[in-house]
Amino acid sequence: MAERDPAWKALQKPSHPHDSARLHVSGEARYADDLGEPADMLHLAFGQSSEARARILSMDLGAVRAAPGVVAVFTAADIPGANDVSPVAGDDRLLADGEVICQGQSVFLVAATSQRAARVAARLGKIEYEVLPAAITIVDAQAAQALIEPAQRMARGDAAAAMDAAPRRLAGRFEMGGQDHFYLEGQVAVATPGEDGQVHVLSSTQHPSEVQHLIAHMLHLSSADVTVEVRRMGGAFGGKETQAALFAGAAALVAHRTGRPAKFRCDRDDDMVMTGKRHEFEVAYEVGFDEVGHLLALSLHLASRCGATVDLSPAINDRAMFHSDNCYFLPHVEVVSERLKTNTVSATAFRGFGGPQGMLAIERVVDDVAAHLGIDPLEVRVANLYGPGRETTPYEMVVADNVAPQIIARLRETSRYDERARAVAAFNAASPVLKKGIALTPVKFGISFTTTHLNQAGALVHVYADGSIQVNHGGTEMGQGLYVKVAQIVADVFAVPLSAVRITATRTDKVPNTSATAASSGADLNGMAAYNAAAAIRERLTEFLARTYGCGEDGVHFTPGGVLVGAETLTFGQVARKAHIGRISLSSTGYYATPGIDYDRSVFKGRPFYYFAYGASVSEVVIDTLTGEHKVLAVDILHDVGRSLNPVVDMGQIEGGFIQGQGWLTTEELVYDAKGRLLTHSPATYKIPTASDRPKHFTVTLWDGENVEPTINRSKAVGEPPFMLANSVFSALNRAVAATMPDNRAIPPLDAPATPERILKAIAGHRAGHRAEP
Amino acid sequence: MAGVRFLLDGEVVDLPEVDPTATLLDHLRYKMRRTGTKEGCAEGDCGACTVLVGSLENESVAWRAVNSCIQFLPMVNGKALMTVESIKAGDGALCPLQETMAANGSSQCGFCTPGFVMSLHGRSIGAKGCDLPVADVIAGNLCRCTGYGPILDAGENTPLQERGEADLADSLKALTSKSGSGEWQGRLWFAPRSSDELAALLAEHPDARLIAGATDVGLWVTKGLRELGTVIFLGDVADLAQIEETDEALILGAGVRYADAHAAMARLHPDLGELVRRIGGLQVRNAGTVGGNIANGSPIGDGPPALIALGALLTLRSVDGRRTMPLEDYFLSYGKQDRRAGEFVESVHIPRPGADAVIHIAKLSRRFDSDISAVCGAFMLNVTDGAITSARVAFGGMAATPKRAATCEAALIGKPFDDATVTAAIEALKADFEPLSDVRGSSAYRAETAANLLRRLWLRHQGMAISVLEVEAFDG
């Protein structure tokens, strides 16, 4: 049911503002914490572990219970069912049971008459620990051989032999830090007890079905007894894919045990301490290449800090491996991915889901090769692109939709890359203190959940007898514009104005068994499911009208001017009324499962992705060699969203994704102390980009193309891919640092995030570690 | 007068009894159910809770954007308040700014949006401190979704409005003219209106906590969950809010907000203006005061190093009279200042630099805007006929207090102002500081950049470009 025309003709004018834009700007959009609070509502806070790893010897919660306003205090023993808020492995506890495995872990739960009372009381617990040795860093965990699962290997050809045979070889290593999501709306959930043991949970979650299932198991209820609802989130970025369950679970437990509504609105600092972040990676590589920079052999080692539990780390690290080719054909390659278990908060999903780390790794390799050869890294990039006769990835998927070469060529021209690269060199020759760098990097990002069964979605469309339409689907709205895109698709099926479609909150009692809104797949999956639901109703209406009016079905047309039935024109409302009187069902579910994907994780072979989304960016930066300060001066982006479902929304995803990626690679630094305590647990110390960090020159152009696969409107997913456009910032910074010693044929030892301190350190390292012309 | 009264959309909100450290944000959201104003961080760093506070100044209403999450309720006593719910037109239509933002993609998740609306609305109605580029007006507002482009565009394209607010000014006048005070569960609070009154109160309650903008103390409550005991709010003390500019000096009352002092400080020296621009976001500068930034004794406050280098004098006052001291002498050791019981910081006197002064003030932080220094360096050399006649070098972030670099200064004074002298002074600087490693920077980074800032002073004096903020892209 994926025909392209004429179903999409109304999308000829697809740009609609976000469906909630007017509510956002007026402050009337309601988030979970904005609804009225019943007088008997309880507010919650966790008592947290002070230790990274310890056995709990005793807990004295007397002072907690006695604190003003406290109504109840719960520990693991109070959980009727499974003490589990994990997505897959069953290893994330709602409340610690006998041991703690990271600092900040939830140990006990306070319910009080106000949020402040709960927070004050939560600090009064006296817990006696037997402190155990903890692995805080990747190096600690490597030494202890602490892993969340065995190392994974993806290989093609014979990397070792090709390495030996390569005319030139290099080895290198670098690190990239994690990243806090810093959604502006912190974690929040409101649980309301219903009759007969049922519970309703308003949760700021990307994965209502998972929250539902976990709560059901926790409370010994059936899934049918638990309803989870989310109208919108105030940002998520992956940080509410699995992490919302902790807070929703706590609220549900308290509602269940006390019979009172319970709200968990997590304080920002607690949120930053207690919830997972992007994985920190350490990368080591050896690369064999020829005189013009063809990559002949690559051996890549990716070590990641997964934190204390499994969470989604296996899939995230898999995706890092899948993207360690980026746009480049690697004939002989071995990627080994080591997933380290540390006593820090469990790392989790974050926009890109491992892709950014894998992609930055290969871009670094390319930059190193170019530095060694003394040529522009863009030449190395272009020389290694997938192309005819070299279109198979290391995991044996054919890159059938490769537009990277064209995108790079076009952007190179429109951004005047070569001219500007010369100007940068001239600037550097004349400027002893300030140095510029410029880089063009591409993106190829695989679209689909790599866990194949997740690639399905459901929707529910109602047409009311007055012609108004309600749409519901399994996807959640976190700001990405999913709801408006799906509403556009449904409006289009009936050729009615967008205003005729009422978008409703995502609820597990409307569409069951949903996948997380993640992997950029929200519009692909839910849009198609909603299309199928609406199209089913349209077919019934068509059949009914043809029968009633005695014309053929090909005489029925849904048009913006009304429904044409033979010689007559009816309004959509008239059609709906007639169909209702004619006893035609005006409601339908819709379902969609992504076709064509098939992949065997045991050997890392197959087609994990339905298609790829592409893009490229040019960044120009300047650094101060005395202080390490830097500024991103100019950015030009050309990005492929297929045939856009909504250009305003897609442009927003591209710009926002880029700036978020820029933050990851520059200002956003997570600092832990030796005891595993996160020191950067507030916006006072953790710095996401501000308005002035947006480059003054910033252009975004949509690639004029369409998806080769029959996706909805031939569009492409847009949530994650633009994040990795910011890799050009990091490459440009590297080149600026390199300009401090232009005859050094080494890549500067710059790690991410490129804070002023790291840039200064890289300058010193570059000056000290001279590599001569080969 | 006991209690708190303020005007919200023309209506008087009368709170006879208030918890003096209850926040305005919580009151708006959970007592008045004005939930358009959001809590993003509860520490004044994200701007999601931005509201406009109007006060009566020179017979008219002066509006300021502030973070309501760290405004305590007594701080809005006698003020007018505007929240995101206030600014729609009477017929419920969106205002032009809101229309633009709704249409151009300024919101994605929408959670930060009301805060941006209020910051930019403030700019459009001529609120204080908004005489800056749009990016500076919203530097205290974080957005994680959009990348800021549409928001900046909306700000640029929203026309400035004229507001006739004579009625509101009259209402404010009628609202209160007396000093605020109250008691809540045995805790006293006061809001005196003159420094005489303040001195007397402080004599009576020597242990009282003084609160000016609450940009620091606010976090003791929202994050530290502390009880503050007796508190005295300084925001209404009119004679502490005076700015006096003479040919010889700039004299700032301790209660002068950074935003209000910004222009005068920039006139004293552009580097000082640039430093002030980078203190917090506008909401923080609209609350935080020059005196508070000194009085709290933070080793990383941005004002003190610059003011010390410029030779500022600090005046403290109590019922017993005044004491004036070089600013550097106020900072005794970590957390300890030379403020006696019953004393308060009254004013800071900043001499206007002579024509022979060579000045460089620089703040280093991970992010340019709304960040705290890893190192803040300030230098003032007086140079006559190529020789350095005097030198004042001060740093923040390098020691337990803002501190002068005596050895470095000695290596400069009396020497020719040249590369060799600067190199020697950089060497001498090593004897002055043993900086700590912390979350904002390592000891080595601090030591290296402190030295490099002195190098930068010299290079800039030679006419060399030294700031990345002054560089344009090739095609700018």
Side-chain angles (χ1 to χ4, degrees):
Chain A
M1 191 50 110
E3 96 275 25
R4 209 173 63 200
D5 292 309
W8 316 123
K9 60 184 182 298
L11 289 178
Q12 292 302 322
K13 187 174 175 276
S15 264
H16 291 276
H18 192 285
D19 56 278
S20 297
R22 299 179 73 82
L23 301 178
H24 291 154
V25 299
S26 62
E28 291 164 13
R30 290 184 178 187
Y31 301 79
D33 189 43
D34 293 342
L35 306 180
E37 295 177 352
D40 62 342
M41 180 171 272
L42 295 174
H43 299 263
L44 314 184
F46 284 125
Q48 300 175 24
S49 168
S50 60
E51 305 302 322
R53 184 161 170 257
R55 232 185 308 278
I56 297 174
L57 300 177
S58 67
M59 278 201 273
D60 174 2
L61 304 180
V64 183
R65 293 181 205 280
V70 171
V71 172
V73 180
F74 299 104
T75 64
D78 300 308
I79 299 168
N83 180 5
D84 175 28
V85 289
S86 72
V88 181
D91 58 346
D92 286 294
R93 302 279 158 263
L94 175 69
L95 297 168
D97 193 359
E99 59 164 11
V100 291
I101 52 176
C102 70
Q103 196 272 331
Q105 186 183 347
S106 47
V107 177
F108 61 91
L109 174 61
V110 185
T113 51
S114 75
Q115 191 212 31
R116 188 175 178 87
R119 290 175 65 207
V120 168
R123 295 186 186 188
L124 301 176
K126 293 189 184 67
I127 303 170
E128 198 184 344
Y129 295 102
E130 178 193 346
V131 176
L132 302 172
I136 305 303
T137 64
I138 286 176
V139 172
D140 293 347
Q142 283 170 330
Q145 275 303 296
L147 300 169
I148 60 140
E149 66 168 349
Q152 301 292 310
R153 179 176 179 273
M154 176 192 289
R156 168 172 60 194
D158 188 340
M163 197 76 71
D164 287 342
R168 295 173 189 276
R169 270 184 288 172
L170 278 177
R173 62 170 304 286
F174 82 113
E175 304 170 10
M176 57 193 108
Q179 184 177 28
D180 189 270
H181 302 83
F182 210 86
Y183 28 69
L184 264 289
E185 178 209 39
Q187 301 278 353
V188 58
V190 183
T192 307
E195 62 181 29
D196 201 16
Q198 297 175 77
V199 62
H200 173 274
V201 181
L202 197 61
S203 171
S204 184
T205 177
Q206 292 170 250
H207 202 344
S209 284
E210 186 167 281
V211 169
Q212 175 200 22
H213 300 154
L214 287 167
I215 288 172
H217 293 151
M218 179 185 301
L219 302 180
H220 273 323
L221 300 172
S222 70
S223 291
D225 293 328
V226 181
T227 301
V228 176
E229 174 179 355
V230 53
R231 172 59 186 83
R232 62 172 63 80
M233 287 166 271
F237 316 110
K240 295 172 180 172
E241 182 170 352
T242 64
Q243 304 297 293
L246 176 65
F247 305 93
L253 175 68
V254 172
H256 186 74
R257 292 294 306 258
T258 64
R260 292 168 65 168
K263 180 192 285 190
F264 204 131
R265 174 169 65 91
C266 192
D267 169 72
R268 172 64 58 183
D269 290 52
D270 289 342
D271 187 321
M272 292 183 77
V273 167
M274 298 186 78
T275 64
K277 301 164 201 324
R278 187 183 296 284
H279 291 64
E280 174 187 321
F281 269 56
E282 290 189 11
V283 177
Y285 56 86
E286 189 177 4
V287 57
F289 53 101
D290 66 16
E291 278 74 10
V292 293
H294 288 116
L295 305 176
L296 305 175
L298 176 67
S299 169
L300 187 65
H301 185 93
L302 305 173
S304 80
R305 176 150 94 172
C306 298
T309 63
V310 173
D311 192 74
L312 301 173
S313 289
I316 290 165
N317 283 276
D318 287 359
R319 190 169 272 273
M321 297 166 78
F322 286 127
H323 288 81
S324 56
D325 60 340
N326 196 13
C327 297
Y328 313 118
F329 178 69
L330 304 171
H332 297 280
V333 54
E334 178 184 45
V335 182
V336 175
S337 162
E338 195 184 2
R339 294 107 194 257
L340 294 146
K341 183 172 185 167
T342 54
N343 296 107
T344 50
V345 68
S346 198
T348 192
F350 196 148
R351 200 176 200 167
F353 205 73
Q357 293 95 323
M359 216 179 275
L360 194 69
I362 187 66
E363 294 303 341
R364 171 70 159 226
V365 171
V366 168
D367 283 345
D368 198 353
V369 167
H372 181 79
L373 295 171
I375 59 177
D376 189 316
L378 184 52
E379 304 305 343
V380 179
R381 292 194 162 94
V382 169
N384 286 286
L385 294 173
Y386 284 108
R390 32 188 288 135
E391 59 253 298
T392 310
T393 66
Y395 45 94
E396 290 184 358
M397 176 172 165
V398 175
V399 183
D401 54 10
N402 184 22
V403 290
Q406 297 96 305
I407 285 181
I408 291 170
R410 176 87 60 81
L411 181 64
R412 183 174 193 161
E413 185 189 330
T414 56
S415 70
R416 295 180 291 137
Y417 174 84
D418 295 279
E419 184 188 345
R420 287 169 58 192
R422 287 191 295 275
V424 162
F427 176 94
N428 289 339
S431 173
V433 174
L434 305 179
K435 298 288 183 188
K436 279 188 176 184
I438 187 169
L440 188 159
T441 59
V443 168
K444 165 182 131 285
F445 192 77
I447 302 300
S448 289
F449 288 99
T450 59
T451 304
T452 303
H453 82 267
L454 298 177
N455 295 290
Q456 57 172 318
L460 178 63
V461 173
H462 300 320
V463 174
Y464 292 92
D466 65 353
S468 64
I469 299 164
Q470 240 186 36
V471 58
N472 194 278
H473 52 81
T476 57
E477 176 65 42
M478 60 197 93
Q480 82 279 40
L482 171 63
Y483 277 16
V484 70
K485 283 182 172 178
V486 175
Q488 285 174 255
I489 290 161
V490 170
D492 210 37
V493 170
F494 299 111
V496 296
L498 187 57
S499 57
V501 179
R502 168 59 68 184
I503 303 165
T504 58
T506 309
R507 291 177 61 111
T508 56
D509 57 358
K510 284 203 173 174
V511 176
N513 310 318
T514 56
S515 295
T517 309
S520 306
S521 65
D524 279 15
L525 297 178
N526 296 288
M528 199 62 101
Y531 171 78
N532 287 339
I537 297 171
R538 188 180 61 180
E539 278 176 36
R540 287 180 213 148
L541 291 173
T542 302
E543 189 273 332
F544 164 74
L545 290 170
R547 178 157 44 83
T548 307
Y549 285 81
C551 64
E553 289 188 15
D554 55 1
V556 178
H557 299 282
F558 290 79
T559 76
V563 183
L564 311 182
V565 187
E568 290 198 51
T569 303
L570 303 173
T571 66
F572 185 71
Q574 288 169 326
V575 169
R577 176 72 61 195
K578 285 177 190 292
H580 178 61
I581 301 293
R583 297 195 294 169
I584 300 299
S585 166
L586 293 175
S587 175
S588 178
T589 59
Y591 179 78
Y592 175 73
T594 311
I597 48 178
D598 178 29
Y599 144 73
D600 180 356
R601 189 188 184 230
S602 66
V603 289
F604 280 93
K605 300 287 181 207
R607 182 183 177 184
F609 305 119
Y610 190 30
Y611 62 89
F612 295 101
Y614 297 85
S617 69
V618 173
S619 291
E620 183 176 335
V621 304
V622 61
I623 63 168
D624 178 341
T625 59
L626 291 176
T627 63
E629 293 166 296
H630 83 275
K631 191 84 188 155
V632 181
L633 299 171
V635 170
D636 296 285
I637 290 170
L638 181 55
H639 193 78
D640 163 33
V641 297
R643 199 160 69 166
S644 177
L645 284 167
N646 185 323
V648 169
V649 165
D650 287 350
M651 294 285 275
Q653 289 295 299
I654 295 167
E655 295 193 17
F658 181 92
I659 297 295
Q660 203 174 67
Q662 179 185 328
W664 172 52
L665 294 170
T666 58
T667 55
E668 296 182 38
E669 184 176 29
L670 293 165
V671 182
Y672 292 85
D673 72 7
K675 284 193 70 185
R677 284 180 304 210
L678 178 66
L679 302 179
T680 47
H681 53 72
S682 84
T685 45
Y686 185 78
K687 303 315 242 188
I688 72 168
T690 62
S692 72
D693 294 313
R694 177 191 173 85
K696 264 188 200 154
H697 172 98
F698 194 95
T699 68
V700 180
T701 309
L702 298 181
W703 175 250
D704 185 18
E706 60 179 44
N707 201 334
V708 300
E709 298 296 343
T711 52
I712 193 87
N713 196 43
R714 298 272 171 171
S715 65
K716 287 191 178 185
V718 69
E720 293 165 289
F723 182 90
M724 285 146 278
L725 294 169
N727 290 349
S728 62
V729 171
F730 193 68
S731 286
L733 286 169
N734 247 312
R735 296 189 77 195
V737 173
T740 59
M741 200 172 182
D743 63 339
N744 183 354
R745 292 287 185 90
I747 188 157
L750 182 63
D751 294 317
T755 58
E757 179 159 359
R758 286 222 178 77
I759 287 175
L760 217 50
K761 203 171 133 200
I763 292 170
H766 190 61
R767 284 175 173 154
H770 190 264
R771 187 198 281 164
E773 194 171 330
Chain B
M1 189 201 78
V4 168
R5 299 175 81 205
F6 58 88
L7 286 170
L8 179 57
D9 304 343
E11 301 286 320
V12 176
V13 177
D14 195 344
L15 308 171
E17 287 186 36
V18 295
D19 174 350
T21 54
T23 67
L24 175 59
L25 175 64
D26 282 353
H27 190 82
L28 288 169
R29 286 186 58 79
Y30 305 113
K31 297 282 197 274
M32 304 186 74
R33 301 236 58 91
R34 285 207 167 212
T35 53
T37 309
K38 307 299 184 194
E39 176 182 310
C41 69
E43 51 197 284
D45 264 306
C46 81
C49 65
T50 302
V51 299
L52 298 176
V53 174
S55 44
L56 193 61
E57 289 174 21
N58 305 320
E59 302 295 307
S60 64
V61 184
W63 291 99
R64 288 182 179 83
V66 298
N67 291 311
S68 62
C69 68
I70 48 171
Q71 287 273 307
F72 297 127
L73 277 177
M75 296 168 70
V76 295
N77 184 34
K79 307 287 194 292
L81 209 62
M82 223 190 279
T83 70
V84 70
E85 288 87 355
S86 309
I87 64 174
K88 279 169 101 171
D91 60 357
L94 300 180
C95 74
L97 169 69
Q98 288 171 311
E99 284 287 354
T100 305
M101 291 180 71
N104 81 347
S106 283
S107 71
Q108 286 183 26
C109 86
F111 199 82
C112 69
T113 310
F116 278 97
V117 168
M118 294 314 289
S119 287
L120 291 175
H121 184 67
R123 179 176 177 273
S124 73
I125 63 169
K128 291 278 189 177
C130 290
D131 193 16
L132 292 169
V134 174
D136 287 323
V137 172
I138 58 173
N141 292 85
L142 297 179
C143 171
R144 192 54 152 167
C145 295
T146 64
Y148 300 101
I151 303 172
L152 288 162
D153 287 346
E156 298 288 356
N157 294 318
T158 300
L160 304 189
Q161 305 173 13
E162 282 297 320
R163 284 173 69 91
E165 293 192 315
D167 291 351
L168 184 59
D170 289 342
S171 301
L172 276 178
K173 252 183 263 182
L175 193 61
T176 178
S177 57
K178 297 207 185 88
S179 299
S181 66
E183 183 176 349
W184 173 264
Q185 297 179 350
R187 289 149 55 202
L188 300 173
W189 66 270
F190 303 95
R193 299 176 81 88
S194 72
S195 50
D196 289 347
E197 199 186 338
L198 170 60
L201 271 173
L202 209 46
E204 197 179 333
H205 304 279
D207 294 331
R209 179 69 58 190
L210 298 180
I211 299 177
T215 56
D216 188 12
V217 174
L219 279 67
W220 301 2
V221 174
T222 62
K223 298 293 166 177
L225 304 179
R226 284 168 60 177
E227 300 280 358
L228 298 183
T230 300
V231 291
I232 301 177
F233 294 98
L234 305 180
D236 292 341
V237 183
D239 52 348
L240 283 186
Q242 302 297 315
I243 300 173
E244 189 185 345
E245 285 185 271
T246 70
D247 289 345
E248 286 77 37
L250 169 64
I251 301 131
L252 299 172
V256 174
R257 299 171 180 88
Y258 264 119
D260 293 349
H262 190 172
M265 292 173 87
R267 279 191 289 274
L268 192 95
H269 193 272
D271 277 13
L272 189 59
E274 173 63 4
L275 180 73
V276 172
R277 183 189 70 81
R278 287 179 53 194
I279 293 175
L282 179 57
Q283 297 94 322
V284 168
R285 295 194 300 275
N286 270 333
T289 62
V290 179
N293 196 208
I294 294 168
N296 76 354
S298 166
I300 48 175
D302 282 332
L307 300 181
I308 289 170
L310 292 167
L313 300 173
L314 189 71
T315 297
L316 294 112
R317 185 182 164 191
S318 69
V319 286
D320 298 326
R322 291 184 170 83
R323 287 194 298 149
T324 295
M325 66 181 81
L327 177 55
E328 55 269 36
D329 293 348
Y330 176 70
F331 303 102
L332 300 176
S333 61
Y334 181 74
K336 192 164 163 43
Q337 299 85 41
D338 185 10
R339 185 166 73 86
R340 298 171 189 160
E343 273 188 335
F344 60 91
V345 174
E346 185 180 53
S347 67
V348 59
H349 175 283
I350 316 164
R352 217 167 269 289
D356 61 345
V358 177
I359 291 169
H360 183 48
I361 301 167
K363 164 176 175 165
L364 301 181
S365 50
R366 276 200 198 83
R367 188 174 74 189
F368 282 104
D369 287 351
S370 195
D371 200 353
I372 294 169
S373 299
V375 174
C376 183
F379 310 85
M380 182 169 76
L381 312 184
N382 292 87
V383 181
T384 308
D385 298 334
I388 302 168
T389 56
S390 74
R392 298 179 65 87
V393 176
F395 284 97
M398 293 289 286
T401 62
K403 192 173 162 241
R404 282 179 75 174
T407 320
C408 176
E409 290 177 358
L412 291 163
I413 296 168
K415 305 288 187 333
F417 188 33
D418 61 16
D419 197 290
T421 298
V422 169
T423 303
I426 284 171
E427 190 59 28
L429 191 60
K430 290 177 186 163
D432 286 317
F433 296 105
E434 287 176 40
L436 291 176
S437 291
D438 68 13
V439 67
R440 296 194 171 81
S442 70
S443 173
Y445 173 74
R446 287 182 153 125
E448 181 180 357
T449 52
N452 283 350
L453 290 181
L454 181 52
R455 171 75 58 198
R456 206 153 90 159
L457 162 100
W458 167 245
L459 294 174
R460 184 165 78 172
H461 189 67
Q462 304 298 104
M464 199 175 284
I466 49 98
S467 169
V468 296
L469 297 181
E470 291 159 11
V471 178
E472 293 288 334
F474 167 59
D475 52 355

Coordinates of all heavy atoms in Angstrom, one line a residue, chain A residues 30 63 95 158 186 256 425 539 609:
Chain A
R30 N 0.1 21.7 27.0 CA 0.2 21.1 28.3 C 1.2 19.9 28.3 O 1.1 19.0 27.5 CB -1.1 20.6 28.8 CG -2.1 21.7 29.1 CD -3.4 21.1 29.6 NE -4.3 22.1 29.9 CZ -5.5 21.8 30.5 NH1 -5.8 20.6 30.8 NH2 -6.3 22.8 30.8
A63 N 14.5 8.6 60.0 CA 14.5 10.1 59.9 C 13.7 10.5 58.6 O 13.1 11.5 58.6 CB 15.9 10.6 59.9
L95 N 14.4 0.0 42.6 CA 15.1 0.4 43.8 C 16.1 -0.7 44.1 O 15.9 -1.9 43.9 CB 14.0 0.4 45.0 CG 12.9 1.4 44.8 CD1 11.8 1.2 45.8 CD2 13.5 2.8 45.0
D158 N 40.4 -9.7 4.2 CA 41.5 -10.1 5.1 C 42.2 -8.8 5.5 O 43.2 -8.4 4.8 CB 42.4 -11.1 4.4 CG 43.4 -11.6 5.4 OD1 43.7 -11.0 6.4 OD2 44.0 -12.7 5.0
G186 N 12.4 17.9 32.2 CA 13.0 16.8 32.9 C 12.1 15.6 33.0 O 10.9 15.7 32.6
H256 N -0.2 2.7 43.3 CA -0.8 1.3 43.6 C -0.8 1.0 45.1 O -1.8 0.5 45.6 CB 0.1 0.3 42.9 CG -0.4 -1.1 42.9 ND1 -1.5 -1.5 42.2 CD2 0.1 -2.2 43.6 CE1 -1.7 -2.8 42.4 NE2 -0.8 -3.2 43.3
A425 N 44.1 28.9 4.3 CA 45.6 28.7 4.3 C 46.2 30.1 4.3 O 47.2 30.3 5.1 CB 46.0 27.9 3.1
E539 N -11.4 3.4 1.2 CA -11.9 2.4 0.3 C -13.4 2.0 0.6 O -14.2 1.8 -0.3 CB -11.0 1.1 0.4 CG -9.8 1.2 -0.4 CD -8.8 0.0 -0.2 OE1 -9.4 -1.1 0.0 OE2 -7.6 0.3 -0.2
F609 N 19.1 -2.3 7.2 CA 18.5 -1.0 7.0 C 17.6 -1.1 5.7 O 18.0 -1.7 4.7 CB 19.6 0.1 6.8 CG 20.5 0.1 8.0 CD1 21.9 -0.1 7.8 CD2 20.0 0.4 9.2 CE1 22.7 0.0 8.9 CE2 20.9 0.5 10.3 CZ 22.3 0.3 10.1

